[in-house]
């Protein structure tokens, strides 16, 4: 999974990126300190892996990972070359979802690029720059497809779709809210890699005092939550400064630190949950002496396609999947004991994999 982090300058974007990835991107109280995209890869915390790894005495435990791409702070007019321009947006065209950091805290020591704190205005500024960037992409595509459609009548439908989509964007609406007329149009929409077609997760960045009640008393957070609900987006409340402190601690110290603050989970854990939800993802597990590992798949994936995540040969030669829920496996202490209790199923090609399934694939190539 790959997530692109965007936001105006000085909203806490690079501070958040640093704390999430411990990658040390330069963070400073001035715009554009993140000029090249910074990339960090983070392990997805998963207690199930540790427990299974201990049970099997696995030589290696491999969690699922998320790749974060931190993009330079956008400003109003970026699409027209203001600030750094929007050339760097190409770096997030390949991401699965966009994490939009929104400033919901007051601090006279940290300048706001627009002079005041207004989360909805900030969201609109970023949204419009992403829309302008998408319009540019569409205009190039329209010129190319329009020319080809004169020779190939089968392209006429796509040419018409592109014009409708461009008109939709020009009304200031994101591609996400565009109504495709059929499956062919949906497939084409996805293929354009438009930034405003990607799911959005808002990170409402608050001061430490607002973190305990999850920003309930913060008007800016309330506005962001309502906007997210109205637009089918996810939102989570975070204090980038606190996350920065957590990044310096080990696992045990982090748990104690969060407990002292009255928090049940870190910002990273909130973000991971939000990204799995919005992208419709889950994990199945494989476990053994050599390796215990988590594999990320779409909810609703069938056993052969899940096997294909491990190796294409597994999908091609799929015979059966030996499946047990991780809780049952841990309770019984071994796969053999779980089999004896009838807790292990032999599943075929139509089996829909469930979150937390521990699977042993049978295949023949």
């Amino acid at each position: 999974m790959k997530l692109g982090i965007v936001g105006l300058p000085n909203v806490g974007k690079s501070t958040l990126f640093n704390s999430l990835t411990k990658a040390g991107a330069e963070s400073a109280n001035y715009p554009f300190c993140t000029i090249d995209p910074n990339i960090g890869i983070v392990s997805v915390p998963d207690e199930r892996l540790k427990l299974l790894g201990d049970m099997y005495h696995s030589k290696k435990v491999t969690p699922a990972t998320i790749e974060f791409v931190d993009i330079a702070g956008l400003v109003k007019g970026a699409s027209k070359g203001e600030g750094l321009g929007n050339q760097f947006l190409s770096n997030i065209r390949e991401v699965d979802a966009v994490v939009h950091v929104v400033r919901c805290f007051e601090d006279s020591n940290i300048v706001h690029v627009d002079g005041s704190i207004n989360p909805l205005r900030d969201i609109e500024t970023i949204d419009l720059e992403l829309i302008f960037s998408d319009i540019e992409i569409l205009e190039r595509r329209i010129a190319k497809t329009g020319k080809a459609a004169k020779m190939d009548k089968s392209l006429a439908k796509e040419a018409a779709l592109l014009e409708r989509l461009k008109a939709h964007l020009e009304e200031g609406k994101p591609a996400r809210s565009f109504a495709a007329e059929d499956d062919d149009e949906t497939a084409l929409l996805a293929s354009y890699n438009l930034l405003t077609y990607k799911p959005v997760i808002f990170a409402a960045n608050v001061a430490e005092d607002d973190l305990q009640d999850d920003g309930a008393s913060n008007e800016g957070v309330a506005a962001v939550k309502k906007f997210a609900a109205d637009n089918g987006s996810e939102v989570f409340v975070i204090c980038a400064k606190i996350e920065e402190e957590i990044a310096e601690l080990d696992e045990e110290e982090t748990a104690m630190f969060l407990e002292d603050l009255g928090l049940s989970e870190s910002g990273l854990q909130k973000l991971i949950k939000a990204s799995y939800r919005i992208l419709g993802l889950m994990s199945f597990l494989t476990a053994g002496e050599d390796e215990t590992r988590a594999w990320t798949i779409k909810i609703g994936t069938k056993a052969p396609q899940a096997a294909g995540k491990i190796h294409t040969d597994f999908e091609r030669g799929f015979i059966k999947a030996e499946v047990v829920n991780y809780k049952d496996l841990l309770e019984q202490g071994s796969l053999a004991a779980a089999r004896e209790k009838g807790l292990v199923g032999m599943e075929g090609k139509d089996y829909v994999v469930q979150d937390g399934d521990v699977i042993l694939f049978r295949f023949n190539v």
Side-chain angles (χ1 to χ4, degrees):
M1 178 169 28
K2 198 171 178 180
L3 303 177
I5 304 180
V6 300
L8 288 169
N10 299 342
V11 296
K13 190 171 56 64
S14 291
T15 303
L16 175 60
F17 173 81
N18 290 345
S19 57
L20 294 178
T21 63
K22 303 182 188 178
E26 187 187 350
S27 173
N29 180 21
Y30 54 85
F32 317 125
C33 60
T34 315
I35 293 172
D36 295 311
N38 291 277
I39 293 174
I41 294 174
V42 177
S43 297
V44 175
D46 193 335
E47 182 64 17
R48 303 171 300 187
L49 282 181
K50 187 186 179 305
L51 297 170
L52 288 167
D54 289 347
M55 189 184 98
Y56 276 96
H57 306 292
S58 303
K59 291 173 193 158
K60 197 162 95 172
V61 174
T62 308
T65 58
I66 295 180
E67 188 175 314
F68 288 102
V69 185
D70 179 31
I71 305 299
L74 283 165
V75 291
K76 201 169 190 174
S79 55
K80 297 179 182 71
E82 291 294 322
L84 292 172
N86 69 356
Q87 72 277 9
F88 48 81
L89 286 174
S90 60
N91 296 308
I92 58 165
R93 290 223 172 261
E94 300 308 316
V95 302
D96 300 302
V98 173
V99 180
H100 183 166
V101 184
V102 186
R103 180 170 166 177
C104 298
F105 67 90
E106 295 278 358
D107 187 336
S108 57
N109 296 316
I110 301 173
V111 295
H112 189 289
V113 75
D114 284 331
S116 62
I117 306 302
N118 185 332
L120 292 186
R121 178 199 60 209
D122 294 356
I123 288 171
E124 186 183 9
T125 297
I126 294 288
D127 277 357
L128 282 174
E129 294 311 318
L130 299 183
I131 284 170
F132 290 144
S133 180
D134 281 348
I135 288 171
E136 265 184 43
I137 295 288
L138 284 182
E139 282 172 344
R140 289 200 289 273
R141 188 110 189 186
I142 285 167
K144 191 177 165 189
T145 307
K147 202 178 283 183
K150 288 173 185 170
M151 310 294 290
D152 182 353
K153 296 298 175 198
S154 66
L155 291 172
K157 187 180 177 183
E158 184 181 359
L161 166 67
L162 288 164
E163 291 291 355
R164 277 172 35 233
L165 183 53
K166 181 172 172 259
H168 178 84
L169 291 172
E170 284 171 342
E171 287 173 14
K173 298 173 186 170
R176 280 184 303 280
S177 63
F178 180 80
E181 290 182 351
D182 53 35
D183 291 345
D184 288 345
E185 285 198 353
T186 301
L188 281 168
L189 258 174
S191 75
Y192 299 149
N193 248 347
L194 298 176
L195 293 170
T196 63
Y197 191 63
K198 296 178 188 298
V200 177
I201 303 162
F202 291 103
N205 189 13
V206 299
E208 186 181 333
D209 293 347
D210 282 334
L211 204 54
Q212 273 82 355
D213 66 354
D214 204 38
S217 53
N218 184 308
E219 285 179 18
V221 171
V224 174
K225 283 183 174 176
K226 185 180 184 312
F227 183 88
D230 291 346
N231 289 274
S233 300
E234 285 281 341
V235 62
F236 70 104
V237 177
I238 196 166
C239 174
K241 257 178 108 174
I242 292 289
E243 291 303 311
E244 202 170 27
E245 290 176 45
I246 289 172
E248 303 302 317
L249 307 174
D250 63 27
E251 221 172 293
E252 204 173 304
E253 289 170 330
T254 297
M256 285 166 63
F257 184 67
L258 289 171
E259 199 178 321
D260 288 346
L261 289 171
L263 303 173
S264 58
E265 56 189 352
S266 69
L268 175 60
Q269 288 166 317
K270 286 182 184 178
L271 173 52
I272 287 168
K273 284 181 181 173
S275 54
Y276 270 65
R277 277 195 305 271
I278 204 162
L279 293 169
L281 299 174
M282 63 174 208
S283 296
F284 75 91
L285 313 161
T286 52
E289 202 177 302
D290 286 334
E291 183 182 37
T292 291
R293 183 165 180 166
W295 304 88
T296 304
I297 55 171
K298 283 266 187 196
I299 292 168
T301 299
K302 292 188 176 178
Q305 287 69 48
K309 285 287 286 184
I310 300 173
H311 198 288
T312 50
D313 284 352
F314 284 27
E315 183 175 356
R316 199 155 44 91
F318 178 87
I319 300 170
K320 290 278 179 191
E322 205 168 354
V323 182
V324 59
N325 180 271
Y326 82 98
K327 283 183 185 168
D328 292 337
L329 181 55
L330 288 167
E331 277 170 20
Q332 299 308 316
S334 73
L335 190 60
R339 274 196 201 106
E340 275 179 36
K341 287 276 176 74
L343 297 168
V344 181
M346 289 298 283
E347 306 291 352
K349 290 182 177 180
D350 290 329
Y351 176 72
V352 176
V353 176
Q354 303 299 305
D355 188 52
D357 278 350
V358 182
I359 307 181
L360 180 63
F361 291 106
R362 308 279 182 203
F363 71 102
N364 180 33
V365 177

